[in-house]
Amino acid sequence: MADRKLFALVSILILISIILTYSLSAYTTLLFGVSEFHFAIRQAAFGLMGVIIIWLLAQLDPDEWLAPIGFTLFIGSAILMIAMPFLPEFLVSAVGGAKRWIKVFGFSIAPVEFFKVGFVYFLAWSFSRKLGDHAGMGIGAEFKRFIPYALVFVGAMFMIAFVQNDLGQVVVLGMTLLFMLMFAGSSFRFFLSLLFISLSFFMFFIFTAEHRITRIKSWWALAQNSVLELFPTSIAEKLRVPTEIEPYQIGHSINAIHNGGMFGTGLGGGTFKLGFLSEVHTDFVLAGLAEEFGFFGVLFVVFLFMWILQRIFKIANRSKDTSIYLFSLGIGLLLSFAFIVNAYGISGITPIKGISVPFLSYGGSAMIAASIAIGMVLMASKKADLE
């Protein structure tokens, strides 16, 4: 039997997302001249569709359906991402020159959201067959064994970071790949080596794109005062960024969090959603949650999310099938890193990466893709001893 607790917990989080979407989109509905329920109704439709998808997938036999669904997501979404730059304008939506969404019947679908789930399945399927114990294996042999996966990841990185101009998704995928490698049987020395190489590539991507450099400077302008006071004055002055660089979004996000205090302003009582934070119901939903429901509201959502992860990791830990173990683990890591990257960004700890909060941020593609991931984990949980 599939894990009913996981199904219930995800359903509760989806319900919270619908309530937050209604409250936090108040200004956006006025800005676009649509009904006050416009985004809430759409999110409710996405949420209902997500719950149905989770339930339907949970009924399927993992031995028969897990692989076809996983490979369809991986190969199908990869083909769509490769084709997107060549599709006509009426079929794709572009933001800042980057084509990230495909228009289908009035909705926009982001193939990268589905690719992440398929990529995790591909890694789990392949790692369970190719990787294993590293005893007696030198680091050179481990790198040789990793080459095919490196090529796949570099291809994905090119499509996402360069073609779609979305470095945040690459960060989440890269971190998931690294930790899945370690749990699949690679040595800790190899893990640290890949981590260093990944950080080097990450810095390369930042310093080769002007908009990313500007974003880093904007973040640093806000964070520098608290950090530089730890350094000698001579060094601090060299690292200081001119104050005219205004960290607009991060500044208002932090002020929204501060305004919420311990108990919040109440549902609908937030002020920073009124034009100060653009479309707060999407990437800044945690800041909106903090303002209207306070510290305890955020704590409740974090507790709920942690409970979801605990159920996913329990399924992984109780699975005797290595591919199911790695897939469940990978989905848990994928959701964890997305939540952490978003939370760190809206609180000013790291630069904003444009990563949505799983099941909480407004958006159909992210909701449906995450629901498919949970549905596949629930399908796989039938082979795990959860008693």
Side-chain angles (χ1 to χ4, degrees):
M1 182 178 292
D3 189 346
R4 293 178 179 177
K5 287 184 181 179
L6 178 57
F7 177 78
L9 291 168
V10 171
S11 299
I12 294 171
L13 198 59
I14 290 175
L15 178 61
I16 293 173
S17 80
I18 297 169
I19 297 171
L20 286 175
T21 297
Y22 170 70
S23 177
L24 299 180
S25 63
Y27 176 79
T28 308
T29 57
L30 294 174
L31 183 66
F32 289 107
V34 295
S35 164
E36 63 176 309
F37 299 103
H38 176 79
F39 294 105
I41 291 174
R42 290 170 70 95
Q43 187 72 348
F46 297 142
L48 178 61
M49 192 182 306
V51 170
I52 292 173
I53 287 172
I54 294 172
W55 185 85
L56 289 175
L57 289 177
Q59 310 309 308
L60 300 179
D61 181 359
D63 292 327
E64 183 179 352
W65 288 99
L66 198 60
I69 294 174
F71 281 118
T72 299
L73 290 171
F74 178 61
I75 298 173
S77 54
I79 292 173
L80 287 176
M81 286 196 297
I82 293 171
M84 281 176 68
F86 308 102
L87 294 177
E89 292 294 331
F90 70 89
L91 282 178
V92 295
S93 299
V95 175
K99 296 181 177 180
R100 298 180 183 176
W101 294 274
I102 297 177
K103 300 175 184 176
V104 180
F105 303 115
F107 295 93
S108 296
I109 298 175
V112 68
E113 297 291 348
F114 301 92
F115 176 80
K116 290 188 296 184
V117 181
F119 184 68
V120 168
Y121 180 80
F122 165 75
L123 291 179
W125 172 84
S126 187
F127 284 175
S128 65
R129 287 158 175 76
K130 303 294 183 181
L131 301 188
D133 186 38
H134 58 270
M137 181 179 290
I139 193 168
E142 287 196 76
F143 269 107
K144 185 177 180 180
R145 187 173 63 170
F146 177 68
I147 287 175
Y149 305 106
L151 294 175
V152 172
F153 182 71
V154 167
M157 186 169 58
F158 176 80
M159 287 188 295
I160 300 171
F162 285 103
V163 178
Q164 298 191 9
N165 199 20
D166 193 351
L167 184 59
Q169 300 286 11
V170 173
V171 171
V172 172
L173 273 180
M175 292 169 70
T176 303
L177 169 61
L178 278 175
F179 280 85
M180 284 185 69
L181 265 172
M182 187 170 65
F183 284 102
S186 294
S187 66
F188 188 64
R189 180 178 56 176
F190 180 66
F191 170 81
L192 291 178
S193 300
L194 278 184
L195 181 62
F196 175 77
I197 294 172
S198 300
L199 289 174
S200 300
F201 272 106
F202 180 69
M203 297 302 294
F204 170 77
F205 284 131
I206 289 177
F207 290 110
T208 53
E210 186 61 34
H211 74 281
R212 292 184 186 126
I213 295 175
T214 302
R215 187 177 296 175
I216 292 292
K217 288 181 177 179
S218 177
W219 161 74
W220 181 244
L222 184 71
Q224 61 183 349
N225 289 334
S226 58
V227 176
L228 293 181
E229 64 182 15
L230 303 175
F231 291 83
T233 305
S234 58
I235 298 177
E237 290 305 315
K238 293 180 180 179
L239 295 175
R240 191 172 299 279
V241 171
T243 54
E244 63 264 17
I245 299 175
E246 179 65 29
Y248 183 84
Q249 288 284 76
I250 302 177
H252 284 311
S253 176
I254 293 175
N255 288 334
I257 295 170
H258 176 75
N259 191 45
M262 295 297 290
F263 300 100
T265 58
L267 181 65
T271 56
F272 283 87
K273 65 186 179 184
L274 304 177
F276 298 99
L277 280 172
S278 62
E279 300 189 22
V280 64
H281 57 295
T282 57
D283 295 345
F284 287 89
V285 66
L286 289 178
L289 170 71
E291 184 179 18
E292 298 199 348
F293 292 91
F295 170 78
F296 287 106
V298 175
L299 186 64
F300 175 75
V301 167
V302 170
F303 171 76
L304 199 62
F305 199 82
M306 293 293 289
W307 198 356
I308 289 172
L309 294 177
Q310 183 269 335
R311 300 305 302 178
I312 295 175
F313 291 139
K314 184 176 182 180
I315 291 170
N317 189 50
R318 299 290 178 88
S319 298
K320 296 180 181 178
D321 187 315
T322 307
S323 63
I324 289 178
Y325 159 72
L326 289 173
F327 174 71
S328 301
L329 179 74
I331 293 300
L333 291 170
L334 195 68
L335 298 176
S336 302
F337 291 137
F339 191 97
I340 290 170
V341 168
N342 182 282
Y344 280 16
I346 64 102
S347 56
I349 297 174
T350 62
I352 297 172
K353 288 288 185 294
I355 298 293
S356 61
V357 183
F359 295 111
L360 210 60
S361 293
Y362 171 82
S365 293
M367 177 72 76
I368 299 304
S371 297
I372 292 174
I374 293 296
M376 293 173 70
V377 170
L378 283 175
M379 187 198 311
S381 72
K382 293 179 178 181
K383 300 186 68 175
D385 181 15
L386 299 177
E387 298 301 329

